[in-house]
Amino acid sequence: MNIRIATAAVAGLAVLLSGCSSYETESDQVAVAVDGNALTPANRTILGCYGESEGGWDGPGDSHYYYPAGQRTYKFAGADEDEAKALGADGPAIKVVKDNITLMLSGTVTFSLNTDCDVLKKFHQQIGVKKWGEKKKAAWISDGGDESYYGWDAMLDVYIEQPLQRAATDALLAEQKTYLDLYNGSGRAEFEQAIQADLPGSVESLAGGNYFINFKVQIQKPSIPSGVAEALTAKEIAKAQNEAQKLANETVQTELESIRALVEVLGQQGYIDYQRNKLSAQQLELLKQAIESGKITILPVPTGSNVTIPTSK
């Protein structure tokens, strides 16, 4: 009797568990659990949240929606969507105008999804369940293989790319820097910090909640129109040539002053004779140095002496 009761209990538990729903989050995921009430699907309530690396069972018909956790990166580069895709970026470069010059800003924004359960539930209700991009996919992580993050990425194109454009434009207007300051790097750090300070508020305002946190912005050297870049290069070349010419002029001036000084001492003809004998003077100086170093030995020979100098064979 007891064996039959135990067997029936096990069978009943198996039937009960077979109707339950399971969940399992990865080390970089969180999940939102939603009530599986089939009678009123429009009024399904969120039961709670699961953190990273959690797993277990929920009630029959309950659903679980997974979202990225931890630091995430949004990369922007390229002139348009096609070039951005070719470069492995999430979106194209940000375009801003300073001093009537268009600057294309490439770089990265790192951030995190706010995984506080109350915030996450609201994010799921207001943003996660919406359809994003041309393929109309929700923002949670699906099991669609290479397109598992399609909805998430398409959602970021709205809530990160657009506020980033606004923050960059506002920062450029606020910073008293020229386009050359940003291009050459002297004002880039301040510009980057200004974007980083403005971006969280811009994102929150557009998204309608504090859903993204821990922002950090990094901007690379901006790209400028090719004609402007070529003009800057030509200017630098001209500057280098002017510096070289200035140095050459200073050298000539020094030489002229030296000539004037010699003419004053030697007279015009004396200076001419000096220049004629200049090479010999240089040779004598070399000979003097050789004697002083011991490479050449001088033997004094009295006048009229018979001295035979042996030759090598």
Side-chain angles (χ1 to χ4, degrees):
M1 184 62 133
N2 291 337
I3 294 176
R4 287 198 297 271
I5 292 174
T7 302
V10 170
L13 179 61
V15 171
L16 179 62
L17 289 176
S18 66
C20 293
S21 60
S22 65
Y23 63 90
E24 183 175 0
T25 59
E26 301 292 339
S27 60
D28 60 348
Q29 295 176 352
V30 291
V32 173
V34 179
D35 181 17
N37 185 354
L39 296 178
T40 55
N43 297 321
R44 296 176 67 183
T45 59
I46 297 178
L47 301 175
C49 309
Y50 296 109
E52 301 169 48
S53 302
E54 289 190 31
W57 296 86
D58 274 335
D62 289 349
S63 301
H64 303 93
Y65 301 91
Y66 298 88
Y67 292 100
Q71 187 180 80
R72 296 287 151 169
T73 299
Y74 182 88
K75 180 180 178 183
F76 49 101
D80 51 36
E81 293 290 348
D82 291 337
E83 189 172 336
K85 185 176 180 180
L87 294 171
D90 300 289
I94 302 301
K95 296 180 181 179
V96 293
V97 178
K98 186 69 172 181
D99 304 327
N100 295 321
I101 302 296
T102 300
L103 303 171
M104 289 183 59
L105 307 176
S106 300
T108 58
V109 176
T110 56
F111 64 96
S112 300
L113 178 67
N114 191 341
T115 56
D116 175 84
C117 191
D118 289 338
V119 177
L120 186 61
K121 288 190 292 185
K122 188 176 178 182
F123 172 83
H124 176 74
Q125 290 174 319
Q126 295 189 351
I127 295 177
V129 297
K130 291 182 179 179
K131 304 300 181 181
W132 300 96
E134 295 179 356
K135 298 180 181 180
K136 305 298 181 183
K137 292 196 174 184
W140 63 71
I141 304 172
S142 67
D143 57 356
D146 292 340
E147 295 189 352
S148 295
Y149 284 83
Y150 177 88
W152 169 265
D153 292 338
M155 178 270 298
L156 293 182
D157 288 341
V158 175
Y159 289 120
I160 299 296
E161 180 183 341
Q162 293 183 19
L164 180 62
Q165 173 72 62
R166 175 182 171 182
T169 301
D170 291 346
L172 201 61
L173 292 174
E175 288 293 312
Q176 300 300 316
K177 305 291 183 182
T178 67
Y179 83 94
L180 276 177
D181 293 329
L182 302 180
Y183 183 70
N184 294 329
S186 60
R188 203 176 307 151
E190 294 85 348
F191 177 58
E192 190 176 78
Q193 291 168 5
I195 296 176
Q196 186 168 303
D198 187 75
L199 184 58
S202 296
V203 172
E204 183 174 353
S205 177
L206 180 62
N210 186 30
Y211 302 130
F212 304 99
I213 56 176
N214 303 328
F215 286 93
K216 184 175 181 180
V217 178
Q218 291 184 315
I219 302 294
Q220 299 175 1
K221 182 174 182 176
S223 297
I224 58 178
S226 58
V228 177
E230 291 169 1
L232 289 176
T233 300
K235 183 178 179 181
E236 290 300 316
I237 292 174
K239 182 179 177 181
Q241 290 174 339
N242 288 338
E243 291 295 330
Q245 186 62 53
K246 181 179 178 182
L247 182 59
N249 292 342
E250 290 175 353
T251 302
V252 170
Q253 185 63 31
T254 301
E255 186 174 353
L256 286 174
E257 291 174 358
S258 176
I259 292 172
R260 290 192 189 98
L262 285 172
V263 170
E264 288 178 1
V265 174
L266 302 176
Q268 185 172 352
Q269 187 59 46
Y271 175 74
I272 294 173
D273 293 339
Y274 167 77
Q275 289 296 335
R276 287 175 179 171
N277 297 323
K278 195 171 184 180
L279 182 59
S280 297
Q282 291 175 345
Q283 291 172 333
L284 289 172
E285 179 62 27
L286 291 173
L287 179 59
K288 177 184 175 183
Q289 293 176 6
I291 293 171
E292 290 176 349
S293 66
K295 294 180 179 180
I296 296 178
T297 303
I298 302 297
L299 298 175
V301 179
T303 303
S305 299
N306 293 322
V307 178
T308 302
I309 299 177
T311 60
S312 61
K313 295 183 180 179

